[in-house]
Amino acid sequence: MKNLRLLALSLAALLALAPCSFAKEARAAQLFAAVAGPSSQASQPIGSYSRGCGAGMVELPESGPTWQAMRLSRNRNWGQPVLIDYLIDLSQAATQAGWRGLYIGDLAQPRGGPSPSGHLSHQTGLDADIWYTPPPRLDLSAGEREKLGAMIVRTDDQKSVNGNWTASHMAVLKAAASDKRVDRIFVAAAVKIEMCKTATAKDKKWLQKIRPIYGHHDHFHVRLKCPAGASSCETQTPTVSELSNGGDGCDETLTWWVTTYLDELKNPPKKPSGPKKRGPREYVMADLPKACKGVLASD
Ligand SMILES: [Zn+2]
């Protein structure tokens, strides 16, 4: 009897000591989140926006003359050099719209990859969230950057913009979308509807890059194209041109978001049952491009 108990105890100890051989394979999100700095490799986005990682990423400085990075504790102010350049340029452009600059939310983790919380994309260092808040000041302390909430520009019923929306928001988004480096920008449908209403007929082409999506009522999400020569970077399909049949996307596909979509939120249609697909937060390293192992292992 005593021997049996001893055997059970030592077995338990063995299991505790050797979690790798018995536990589930580690999730990529945990592995990427645990690394504090970038890989010492040439800069390169690898894979797709929602299944990839970033080599040789660069940090967006926490503060600059026309921007502040928010929620510094998340350590997600990292991106490809092209993204950092773009954000700094856009923060300067925002001053033309009368803003002091920009409050910039999450970019990517130091080596990109899936993150344990928040975004499903933002994995290659080409995505960034920008707050709708026109910065009242650009000397927020680290503590203030944790606590301050982003400005919400949409009504609670999700159908239109609220009183926080201004012409300067439109100007900042137009500057953001008109940049050649941008692939698309995600905003709440109510925001795009408002922009479709107020843009002049002659000057609507840039609206093609503004894409409606759920959420995104307190920030807009900029996604850059794969930079030239980035052979491991996967372009997103369908393109914004395909999605809008070459137009500006101010059509019934936009109306869907404030009609059928909202109805289905209240009365969700029954989904066909079947095995649940693994999402980015559950990815293991084998789900990512092979080169991401090297990114994780690099100095
Ligand atoms: Zn985002």
mmCIF file with all atom_site columns, all heavy atoms in Angstrom, residues 35 62-63 83 109 137 141 146 225 228 281:
data_model
loop_
_atom_site.group_PDB
_atom_site.id
_atom_site.type_symbol
_atom_site.label_atom_id
_atom_site.label_alt_id
_atom_site.label_comp_id
_atom_site.label_asym_id
_atom_site.label_entity_id
_atom_site.label_seq_id
_atom_site.pdbx_PDB_ins_code
_atom_site.Cartn_x
_atom_site.Cartn_y
_atom_site.Cartn_z
_atom_site.occupancy
_atom_site.B_iso_or_equiv
_atom_site.pdbx_formal_charge
_atom_site.auth_seq_id
_atom_site.auth_comp_id
_atom_site.auth_asym_id
_atom_site.auth_atom_id
_atom_site.pdbx_PDB_model_num
ATOM 1  N N   . VAL A 1 35  ? 8.557  37.300 -25.984 1.00 0.00 ? 35  VAL A N   1
ATOM 2  C CA  . VAL A 1 35  ? 9.834  37.876 -26.430 1.00 0.00 ? 35  VAL A CA  1
ATOM 3  C C   . VAL A 1 35  ? 9.758  39.398 -26.365 1.00 0.00 ? 35  VAL A C   1
ATOM 4  O O   . VAL A 1 35  ? 8.861  40.013 -26.940 1.00 0.00 ? 35  VAL A O   1
ATOM 5  C CB  . VAL A 1 35  ? 10.170 37.443 -27.875 1.00 0.00 ? 35  VAL A CB  1
ATOM 6  C CG1 . VAL A 1 35  ? 11.604 37.788 -28.207 1.00 0.00 ? 35  VAL A CG1 1
ATOM 7  C CG2 . VAL A 1 35  ? 9.941  35.951 -28.053 1.00 0.00 ? 35  VAL A CG2 1
ATOM 8  N N   . GLU A 1 62  ? 8.124  55.975 -28.417 1.00 0.00 ? 62  GLU A N   1
ATOM 9  C CA  . GLU A 1 62  ? 6.940  56.158 -27.565 1.00 0.00 ? 62  GLU A CA  1
ATOM 10 C C   . GLU A 1 62  ? 6.298  57.518 -27.763 1.00 0.00 ? 62  GLU A C   1
ATOM 11 O O   . GLU A 1 62  ? 5.083  57.664 -27.660 1.00 0.00 ? 62  GLU A O   1
ATOM 12 C CB  . GLU A 1 62  ? 7.333  55.958 -26.096 1.00 0.00 ? 62  GLU A CB  1
ATOM 13 C CG  . GLU A 1 62  ? 7.679  54.498 -25.811 1.00 0.00 ? 62  GLU A CG  1
ATOM 14 C CD  . GLU A 1 62  ? 8.159  54.255 -24.395 1.00 0.00 ? 62  GLU A CD  1
ATOM 15 O OE1 . GLU A 1 62  ? 8.172  55.224 -23.588 1.00 0.00 ? 62  GLU A OE1 1
ATOM 16 O OE2 . GLU A 1 62  ? 8.528  53.100 -24.096 1.00 0.00 ? 62  GLU A OE2 1
ATOM 17 N N   . SER A 1 63  ? 7.131  58.542 -28.023 1.00 0.00 ? 63  SER A N   1
ATOM 18 C CA  . SER A 1 63  ? 6.606  59.886 -28.252 1.00 0.00 ? 63  SER A CA  1
ATOM 19 C C   . SER A 1 63  ? 7.410  60.569 -29.334 1.00 0.00 ? 63  SER A C   1
ATOM 20 O O   . SER A 1 63  ? 8.591  60.283 -29.504 1.00 0.00 ? 63  SER A O   1
ATOM 21 C CB  . SER A 1 63  ? 6.737  60.747 -26.985 1.00 0.00 ? 63  SER A CB  1
ATOM 22 O OG  . SER A 1 63  ? 6.068  60.146 -25.917 1.00 0.00 ? 63  SER A OG  1
ATOM 23 N N   . LEU A 1 83  ? 6.008  50.794 -41.980 1.00 0.00 ? 83  LEU A N   1
ATOM 24 C CA  . LEU A 1 83  ? 4.857  51.175 -41.145 1.00 0.00 ? 83  LEU A CA  1
ATOM 25 C C   . LEU A 1 83  ? 5.221  52.336 -40.214 1.00 0.00 ? 83  LEU A C   1
ATOM 26 O O   . LEU A 1 83  ? 4.440  53.276 -40.041 1.00 0.00 ? 83  LEU A O   1
ATOM 27 C CB  . LEU A 1 83  ? 4.366  49.969 -40.328 1.00 0.00 ? 83  LEU A CB  1
ATOM 28 C CG  . LEU A 1 83  ? 3.152  50.246 -39.420 1.00 0.00 ? 83  LEU A CG  1
ATOM 29 C CD1 . LEU A 1 83  ? 1.908  50.578 -40.235 1.00 0.00 ? 83  LEU A CD1 1
ATOM 30 C CD2 . LEU A 1 83  ? 2.859  49.061 -38.489 1.00 0.00 ? 83  LEU A CD2 1
ATOM 31 N N   . GLN A 1 109 ? 3.578  42.981 -31.911 1.00 0.00 ? 109 GLN A N   1
ATOM 32 C CA  . GLN A 1 109 ? 4.564  42.570 -30.910 1.00 0.00 ? 109 GLN A CA  1
ATOM 33 C C   . GLN A 1 109 ? 5.958  42.693 -31.544 1.00 0.00 ? 109 GLN A C   1
ATOM 34 O O   . GLN A 1 109 ? 6.060  42.791 -32.767 1.00 0.00 ? 109 GLN A O   1
ATOM 35 C CB  . GLN A 1 109 ? 4.290  41.117 -30.500 1.00 0.00 ? 109 GLN A CB  1
ATOM 36 C CG  . GLN A 1 109 ? 2.875  40.959 -29.920 1.00 0.00 ? 109 GLN A CG  1
ATOM 37 C CD  . GLN A 1 109 ? 2.484  39.513 -29.622 1.00 0.00 ? 109 GLN A CD  1
ATOM 38 O OE1 . GLN A 1 109 ? 2.170  39.200 -28.504 1.00 0.00 ? 109 GLN A OE1 1
ATOM 39 N NE2 . GLN A 1 109 ? 2.507  38.653 -30.640 1.00 0.00 ? 109 GLN A NE2 1
ATOM 40 N N   . ARG A 1 137 ? -3.385 66.885 -25.958 1.00 0.00 ? 137 ARG A N   1
ATOM 41 C CA  . ARG A 1 137 ? -1.992 67.191 -25.633 1.00 0.00 ? 137 ARG A CA  1
ATOM 42 C C   . ARG A 1 137 ? -1.117 66.001 -26.005 1.00 0.00 ? 137 ARG A C   1
ATOM 43 O O   . ARG A 1 137 ? -1.618 64.882 -26.180 1.00 0.00 ? 137 ARG A O   1
ATOM 44 C CB  . ARG A 1 137 ? -1.823 67.548 -24.150 1.00 0.00 ? 137 ARG A CB  1
ATOM 45 C CG  . ARG A 1 137 ? -2.768 66.829 -23.182 1.00 0.00 ? 137 ARG A CG  1
ATOM 46 C CD  . ARG A 1 137 ? -2.590 67.345 -21.772 1.00 0.00 ? 137 ARG A CD  1
ATOM 47 N NE  . ARG A 1 137 ? -1.511 66.614 -21.126 1.00 0.00 ? 137 ARG A NE  1
ATOM 48 C CZ  . ARG A 1 137 ? -1.703 65.693 -20.170 1.00 0.00 ? 137 ARG A CZ  1
ATOM 49 N NH1 . ARG A 1 137 ? -2.916 65.388 -19.749 1.00 0.00 ? 137 ARG A NH1 1
ATOM 50 N NH2 . ARG A 1 137 ? -0.683 65.067 -19.625 1.00 0.00 ? 137 ARG A NH2 1
ATOM 51 N N   . SER A 1 141 ? 1.568  61.049 -19.633 1.00 0.00 ? 141 SER A N   1
ATOM 52 C CA  . SER A 1 141 ? 2.504  60.161 -18.931 1.00 0.00 ? 141 SER A CA  1
ATOM 53 C C   . SER A 1 141 ? 2.181  58.723 -19.307 1.00 0.00 ? 141 SER A C   1
ATOM 54 O O   . SER A 1 141 ? 1.127  58.438 -19.884 1.00 0.00 ? 141 SER A O   1
ATOM 55 C CB  . SER A 1 141 ? 2.333  60.338 -17.418 1.00 0.00 ? 141 SER A CB  1
ATOM 56 O OG  . SER A 1 141 ? 1.048  59.860 -17.044 1.00 0.00 ? 141 SER A OG  1
ATOM 57 N N   . GLU A 1 146 ? -2.218 54.489 -20.209 1.00 0.00 ? 146 GLU A N   1
ATOM 58 C CA  . GLU A 1 146 ? -2.896 53.222 -19.882 1.00 0.00 ? 146 GLU A CA  1
ATOM 59 C C   . GLU A 1 146 ? -4.376 53.468 -19.627 1.00 0.00 ? 146 GLU A C   1
ATOM 60 O O   . GLU A 1 146 ? -5.219 52.670 -20.014 1.00 0.00 ? 146 GLU A O   1
ATOM 61 C CB  . GLU A 1 146 ? -2.277 52.591 -18.616 1.00 0.00 ? 146 GLU A CB  1
ATOM 62 C CG  . GLU A 1 146 ? -0.836 52.156 -18.765 1.00 0.00 ? 146 GLU A CG  1
ATOM 63 C CD  . GLU A 1 146 ? -0.608 51.073 -19.801 1.00 0.00 ? 146 GLU A CD  1
ATOM 64 O OE1 . GLU A 1 146 ? -1.456 50.169 -19.916 1.00 0.00 ? 146 GLU A OE1 1
ATOM 65 O OE2 . GLU A 1 146 ? 0.410  51.144 -20.516 1.00 0.00 ? 146 GLU A OE2 1
ATOM 66 N N   . LYS A 1 225 ? 0.266  47.694 -47.730 1.00 0.00 ? 225 LYS A N   1
ATOM 67 C CA  . LYS A 1 225 ? 0.567  46.659 -48.723 1.00 0.00 ? 225 LYS A CA  1
ATOM 68 C C   . LYS A 1 225 ? 1.900  46.009 -48.371 1.00 0.00 ? 225 LYS A C   1
ATOM 69 O O   . LYS A 1 225 ? 2.716  46.588 -47.650 1.00 0.00 ? 225 LYS A O   1
ATOM 70 C CB  . LYS A 1 225 ? 0.747  47.302 -50.100 1.00 0.00 ? 225 LYS A CB  1
ATOM 71 C CG  . LYS A 1 225 ? -0.494 47.941 -50.666 1.00 0.00 ? 225 LYS A CG  1
ATOM 72 C CD  . LYS A 1 225 ? -0.115 48.702 -51.945 1.00 0.00 ? 225 LYS A CD  1
ATOM 73 C CE  . LYS A 1 225 ? -1.308 49.447 -52.487 1.00 0.00 ? 225 LYS A CE  1
ATOM 74 N NZ  . LYS A 1 225 ? -0.922 50.536 -53.394 1.00 0.00 ? 225 LYS A NZ  1
ATOM 75 N N   . ALA A 1 228 ? 7.719  46.601 -51.500 1.00 0.00 ? 228 ALA A N   1
ATOM 76 C CA  . ALA A 1 228 ? 8.394  46.079 -52.692 1.00 0.00 ? 228 ALA A CA  1
ATOM 77 C C   . ALA A 1 228 ? 9.525  45.152 -52.271 1.00 0.00 ? 228 ALA A C   1
ATOM 78 O O   . ALA A 1 228 ? 10.274 45.462 -51.347 1.00 0.00 ? 228 ALA A O   1
ATOM 79 C CB  . ALA A 1 228 ? 8.944  47.226 -53.520 1.00 0.00 ? 228 ALA A CB  1
ATOM 80 N N   . ARG A 1 281 ? -5.372 32.669 -32.226 1.00 0.00 ? 281 ARG A N   1
ATOM 81 C CA  . ARG A 1 281 ? -4.927 32.557 -30.827 1.00 0.00 ? 281 ARG A CA  1
ATOM 82 C C   . ARG A 1 281 ? -4.587 31.125 -30.444 1.00 0.00 ? 281 ARG A C   1
ATOM 83 O O   . ARG A 1 281 ? -3.889 30.885 -29.474 1.00 0.00 ? 281 ARG A O   1
ATOM 84 C CB  . ARG A 1 281 ? -5.980 33.122 -29.871 1.00 0.00 ? 281 ARG A CB  1
ATOM 85 C CG  . ARG A 1 281 ? -5.922 34.622 -29.835 1.00 0.00 ? 281 ARG A CG  1
ATOM 86 C CD  . ARG A 1 281 ? -6.803 35.220 -28.759 1.00 0.00 ? 281 ARG A CD  1
ATOM 87 N NE  . ARG A 1 281 ? -7.223 36.523 -29.229 1.00 0.00 ? 281 ARG A NE  1
ATOM 88 C CZ  . ARG A 1 281 ? -8.448 36.814 -29.620 1.00 0.00 ? 281 ARG A CZ  1
ATOM 89 N NH1 . ARG A 1 281 ? -9.412 35.925 -29.545 1.00 0.00 ? 281 ARG A NH1 1
ATOM 90 N NH2 . ARG A 1 281 ? -8.737 38.019 -30.064 1.00 0.00 ? 281 ARG A NH2 1
#
